[in-house]
């Protein structure tokens, strides 16, 4: 057993920042990650980091833009924490040596991004996430923080009291990919989940193949509710053949969108008469698909993104990486011709329910980054707000896990925060999955940390042996069907009928998973084993997304329902919470917090 004060699961932006912060508080920290940190998906973030740094800008304006972008489903304490703290975090990154792009006078460059009232997006070319990862990993190495890379965390070691709010997390169980063993990690202070997104629930996504929702699925089964899972962001500019992201920075620099008829449709068809291509992402994605559905798309699939008019010098200075992506994956030289783009799954606004300190309803369990829902993004995330979320809330979760008092949280979590209304949905209970993995850890009689961890290790060992010894279905067939259903039925445009069809497929996938087996008999570097377990996580995460989409019968942010074309503030100004409840999901709600430190954010019509 490996023992540390704080265990951080995941080595991306949030995980690295959490580890650094916990170390600064004097904790013995370890990062446990299935990838080497600099291979984490944060490295694919191209756009930038929003921070109010310039004269004429103010963090209060950033907060208002973020609340408006969230379609008034963001919680004010989280939003104000993000926007107030982001400038000091950006300055800290600069002091650590992050190579931000700069103006001629030496100041860090900032450019416009969708939904912002001021050009406050700092960036490092079109490779901001890559430089962010390397900058923070250098700090991890400098501090001597232990990194267990190529250790795949399979489950949490949590006491199994009836009430999730009485449960405690004492560590994690991981598969040592290099040596083939299952090993346990004990956290005497806390476990921070920073596992990133779950884009592999869809078959057209900007997300890496490693983004399989491991953290949300583990926390969900342990008893932590998943918050606002229905809100999935589809980025408007991805390459059609691969889903590779084309940064919003292209439009921030002045790139334009046009359809098969050569129309700059964002303006000419009235989707965003003022902001045009720099409207929020949900608005632009719906506009693009409307153009395609109404016959004005190119090849009935995509639209064009053109940046040729920016000039070669400016493109090479600020967007050089985009040239290589377009050439390598579409065979298009964007210096000479427009790029084909279409919406693709990009980011999950929902996730593990936490407060603004990263704490969940289970004692000792924290979450930060995309896997968490604080909720700072509400129904729609603004471009440039993901990376500050990683560093701001990663740092807060790390400090709190290390024992630092950050003050009383204003955001409540767990079943005690629920409002009176709840949903009883007939016929959608998932039931049992497989008998070797339903229990998270120990029964209520086991309370000693070492006993809880050993019990969790034994159960995961049993799970692995069962998967590897029996003959059965290959996980890849199940995953492909799941991804196809989610992409077809739970995409940008949704209908009740389609969502129910997706849930039918998810139930079928869950039933088939009972007979899943691992074909590769090897113990080391067994990617078949890892992918099989990841597929289980994707089934659980996909179901929460579809359930949330089914019950929220309104149009808000990234959640569009054909039957419900209006935002229903009287009924739906509340968060959706879905609890595992031993395999029969319990769906309930809690109110949105619109009251900030200095003002109350009154919902308004959101237009750009």
């Amino acid at each position: 057993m490996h023992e540390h004060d704080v265990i951080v699961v995941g080595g991306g932006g949030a995980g690295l920042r959490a580890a650094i912060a916990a170390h600064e508080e004097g904790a013995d920290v370890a990062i446990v990650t299935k990838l080497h940190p600099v291979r984490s998906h944060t490295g694919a973030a191209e756009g930038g980091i929003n921070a109010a740094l310039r004269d004429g800008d103010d963090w209060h304006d950033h907060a208002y833009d973020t609340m408006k972008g969230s379609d008034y489903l963001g919680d004010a304490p989280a939003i104000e924490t993000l926007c107030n703290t982001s400038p000091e975090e950006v300055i800290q990154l600069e002091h650590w040596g992050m190579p931000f792009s700069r103006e001629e006078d030496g100041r860090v460059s900032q450019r416009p991004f969708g939904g912002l009232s001021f050009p406050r997006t700092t960036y490092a070319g079109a490779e901001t996430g890559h430089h962010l990862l390397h900058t923070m990993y250098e700090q991890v190495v400098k501090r001597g923080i232990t990194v267990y890379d190529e250790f795949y965390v399979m489950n949490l070691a949590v006491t199994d009291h009836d009430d999730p709010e009485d449960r405690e997390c004492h560590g994690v169980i991981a598969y040592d990919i290099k040596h083939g063993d299952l090993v346990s990690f004990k956290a005497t202070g806390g476990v921070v989940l920073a596992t990133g997104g779950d884009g592999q629930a869809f078959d057209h996504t900007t997300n890496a193949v490693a983004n399989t929702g491991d953290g949300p699925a583990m926390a969900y089964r342990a008893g932590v509710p998943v918050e606002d899972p229905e809100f999935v962001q589809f980025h408007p500019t991805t390459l059609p053949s691969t889903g590779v992201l084309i940064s919003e920075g292209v439009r921030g620099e002045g790139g334009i969108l046009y359809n098969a008829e050569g129309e700059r449709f964002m303006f000419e068809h009235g989707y965003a008469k003022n902001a045009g291509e720099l409207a929020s992402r949900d608005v632009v994605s719906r506009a693009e698909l409307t153009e395609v559905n109404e016959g004005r798309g190119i090849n009935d699939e995509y639209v064009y993104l053109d940046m040729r008019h920016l000039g070669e010098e400016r493109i090479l200075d600020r967007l050089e990486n985009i040239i290589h992506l377009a050439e390598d994956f579409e065979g298009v030289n964007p210096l000479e011709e427009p790029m084909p783009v279409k919406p693709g799954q990009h980011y999950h606004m929902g996730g593990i329910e936490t407060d603004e300190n990263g704490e969940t309803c289970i004692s000792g369990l924290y979450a930060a980054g995309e896997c968490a829902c604080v909720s700072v993004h509400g129904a729609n995330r603004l471009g440039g707000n993901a990376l500050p979320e990683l560093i701001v809330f990663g740092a807060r979760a790390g400090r709190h896990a290390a024992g630092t008092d950050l003050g009383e949280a204003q955001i409540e979590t767990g079943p005690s925060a629920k409002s009176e209304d709840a949903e009883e949905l007939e016929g959608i209970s998932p039931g049992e999955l497989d008998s070797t993995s339903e229990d998270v850890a120990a029964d209520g009689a086991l309370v000693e940390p070492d006993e809880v961890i050993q019990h969790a290790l034994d159960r995961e060992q049993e799970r692995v042996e069962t998967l590897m010894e029996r003959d059965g279905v290959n996980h890849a067939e199940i995953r492909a069907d799941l991804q196809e259903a989610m992409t077809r039925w739970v995409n940008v445009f949704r209908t009740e009928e389609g969502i129910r069809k997706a849930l039918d497929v998810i139930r079928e996938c869950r039933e088939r998973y009972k007979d899943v087996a691992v074909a590769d008999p090897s113990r080391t570097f067994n990617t078949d084993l890892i992918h099989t377990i990841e597929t289980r996580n994707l089934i659980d995460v996909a179901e929460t997304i579809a359930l949330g989409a089914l019950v929220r019968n309104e149009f808000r942010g990234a959640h569009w329902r054909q039957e419900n074309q209006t935002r229903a503030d009287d009924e739906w100004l509340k968060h959706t919470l879905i609890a595992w409840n031993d395999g029969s999901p319990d769906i309930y709600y809690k109110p949105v917090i619109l009251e900030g430190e200095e003002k109350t954010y009154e919902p308004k019509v959101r237009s750009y």
Side-chain angles (χ1 to χ4, degrees):
M1 182 189 299
H2 302 281
E3 182 174 334
H4 299 271
D5 296 335
V6 176
I7 300 292
V8 179
V9 181
L16 293 174
R17 188 66 187 93
I20 294 167
H23 181 271
E24 289 174 336
E25 299 301 316
D28 171 23
V29 190
I31 298 172
V32 185
T33 172
K34 63 181 178 182
L35 301 171
H36 190 278
V38 298
R39 290 186 59 222
S40 297
H41 189 61
T42 302
E46 299 166 355
I49 308 171
N50 291 338
L53 297 173
R54 295 280 181 88
D55 292 340
D57 197 10
D58 188 280
W59 74 263
H60 296 89
D61 296 332
H62 184 191
Y64 175 78
D65 292 344
T66 300
M67 180 64 81
K68 177 182 175 182
S70 79
D71 219 352
Y72 298 93
L73 205 72
D75 283 329
I79 288 174
E80 293 186 349
T81 297
L82 174 84
C83 300
N84 189 26
T85 312
S86 182
E88 64 188 65
E89 285 289 338
V90 168
I91 292 169
Q92 178 64 80
L93 287 171
E94 197 274 341
H95 289 177
W96 283 339
M98 183 162 167
F100 285 103
S101 296
R102 296 185 180 271
E103 302 296 328
E104 291 185 2
D105 62 6
R107 292 183 301 167
V108 170
S109 295
Q110 293 182 281
R111 60 185 167 203
F113 247 46
L116 297 181
S117 58
F118 192 91
R120 66 173 64 94
T121 308
T122 66
Y123 60 96
E127 307 88 29
T128 309
H130 172 83
H131 292 297
L132 177 72
L133 272 184
H134 281 265
T135 299
M136 289 201 291
Y137 184 62
E138 287 175 359
Q139 296 301 312
V140 166
V141 173
K142 175 182 177 180
R143 288 163 169 75
I145 295 172
T146 303
V147 179
Y148 299 92
D149 68 279
E150 296 191 319
F151 281 76
Y152 175 51
V153 174
M154 299 169 57
N155 228 329
L156 306 172
V158 179
T159 57
D160 192 23
H161 298 288
D162 290 339
D163 187 344
E165 293 179 318
D166 292 333
R167 297 175 187 172
E168 297 178 343
C169 181
H170 294 299
V172 300
I173 310 302
Y175 165 54
D176 180 348
I177 300 171
K178 288 176 283 191
H179 300 100
D181 303 318
L182 262 61
V183 295
S184 57
F185 292 86
K186 179 180 179 180
T188 58
V191 171
V192 180
L193 295 176
T195 58
D198 49 31
Q200 287 301 312
F202 297 80
D203 64 14
H204 186 81
T205 176
T206 66
N207 284 200
V209 293
N211 286 24
T212 51
D214 300 331
M218 290 188 292
Y220 177 53
R221 295 193 296 267
V224 181
V226 175
E227 181 175 353
D228 292 337
E230 62 268 36
F231 295 109
V232 178
Q233 182 166 93
F234 295 86
H235 197 288
T237 55
T238 75
L239 296 178
S241 62
T242 60
V244 167
L245 174 68
I246 296 299
S247 170
E248 190 165 320
V250 174
R251 287 174 287 133
E253 293 293 336
I256 62 174
L257 293 166
Y258 61 88
N259 59 22
E261 298 175 8
E263 297 172 313
R264 197 172 174 183
F265 56 88
M266 291 303 300
F267 289 104
E268 295 185 36
H269 291 184
Y271 299 110
K273 296 181 179 179
N274 296 317
E277 287 86 359
L278 287 178
S280 64
R281 289 174 176 176
D282 59 316
V283 173
V284 180
S285 289
R286 284 192 294 271
E288 290 180 1
L289 285 183
T290 299
E291 292 297 300
V292 172
N293 293 341
E294 294 183 356
R296 295 186 295 275
I298 294 97
N299 295 330
D300 294 323
E301 183 183 8
Y302 52 81
V303 297
Y304 278 139
L305 174 62
D306 197 350
M307 65 177 184
R308 292 173 294 177
H309 57 286
L310 301 179
E312 183 174 353
E313 181 179 354
R314 184 174 178 183
I315 293 172
L316 290 174
D317 178 48
R318 302 187 178 192
L319 299 166
E320 181 180 3
N321 186 47
I322 302 303
I323 300 174
H324 304 308
L325 293 176
E327 288 180 334
D328 292 345
F329 294 104
E330 289 293 338
V332 171
N333 180 356
L335 294 173
E336 299 177 355
E337 54 188 321
M339 296 172 281
V341 293
K342 73 176 188 178
Q345 192 282 341
H346 180 59
Y347 185 90
H348 197 178
M349 279 75 74
I352 303 165
E353 184 198 29
T354 74
D355 62 25
E356 60 267 43
N357 298 328
E359 192 168 19
T360 72
C361 64
I362 293 179
S363 178
L365 182 62
Y366 300 79
E370 187 176 348
C371 74
C373 182
V374 61
S375 151
V376 73
H377 305 304
N380 174 69
R381 176 176 71 79
L382 293 184
N385 267 357
L387 294 184
E389 177 194 19
L390 302 184
I391 53 181
V392 169
F393 293 106
R396 292 181 71 86
R399 293 187 187 111
H400 202 283
T404 300
D405 184 5
L406 300 180
E408 184 177 355
Q410 298 180 60
I411 298 173
E412 294 185 62
T413 61
S416 63
K418 70 169 66 175
S419 53
E420 293 300 319
D421 48 347
E423 290 285 344
E424 296 291 337
L425 294 174
E426 186 177 351
I428 60 169
S429 170
E432 294 295 311
L433 183 62
D434 66 74
S435 61
T436 63
S437 63
E438 283 306 315
D439 293 338
V440 176
D443 59 40
L446 297 178
V447 294
E448 292 298 323
D450 288 357
E451 291 180 328
V452 173
I453 293 170
Q454 184 60 50
H455 187 81
L457 179 63
D458 292 342
R459 292 198 67 83
E460 290 307 305
Q461 190 68 58
E462 178 186 354
R463 179 187 185 188
V464 169
E465 294 303 325
T466 300
L467 290 172
M468 296 189 69
E469 290 176 2
R470 70 187 180 193
D471 295 325
V473 179
N474 186 289
H475 81 92
E477 301 171 11
I478 300 173
R479 186 186 291 202
D481 290 344
L482 178 79
Q483 292 171 327
E484 181 181 356
M486 291 296 289
T487 300
R488 182 175 183 183
W489 302 116
V490 198
N491 209 288
V492 174
F493 294 136
R494 300 169 175 177
T495 66
E496 180 178 344
E497 179 185 8
I499 296 166
R500 290 190 179 276
K501 287 180 179 179
L503 282 166
D504 287 341
V505 174
I506 293 167
R507 283 200 300 272
E508 293 170 5
C509 290
R510 191 179 289 281
E511 187 67 24
R512 289 160 60 196
Y513 192 92
K514 293 179 180 178
D515 299 318
V516 78
V518 175
D520 184 352
S522 63
R523 293 287 171 172
T524 60
F525 293 96
N526 192 331
T527 55
D528 190 18
L529 171 63
I530 295 170
H531 293 163
T532 299
I533 296 169
E534 289 174 336
T535 297
R536 159 69 197 274
N537 294 335
L538 286 171
I539 292 171
D540 289 342
V541 168
E543 184 173 64
T544 65
I545 295 171
L547 287 175
L550 180 63
V551 300
R552 185 174 287 271
N553 53 5
E554 69 157 351
F555 165 30
R556 186 181 298 271
H559 174 63
W560 184 95
R561 282 279 295 263
Q562 186 178 67
E563 303 87 355
N564 312 100
Q565 288 297 296
T566 58
R567 193 181 76 188
D569 289 342
D570 290 344
E571 182 181 1
W572 283 105
L573 209 57
K574 58 189 178 183
H575 297 295
T576 308
L577 282 304
I578 302 182
W580 172 245
N581 193 31
D582 296 325
S584 298
D586 178 23
I587 303 174
Y588 59 95
Y589 307 96
K590 69 177 182 180
V592 175
I593 304 174
L594 296 178
E595 185 176 350
E597 185 177 328
E598 300 177 8
K599 63 177 291 185
T600 297
Y601 299 85
E602 297 292 341
K604 301 176 181 178
V605 175
R606 192 173 63 121
S607 63
Y608 292 98

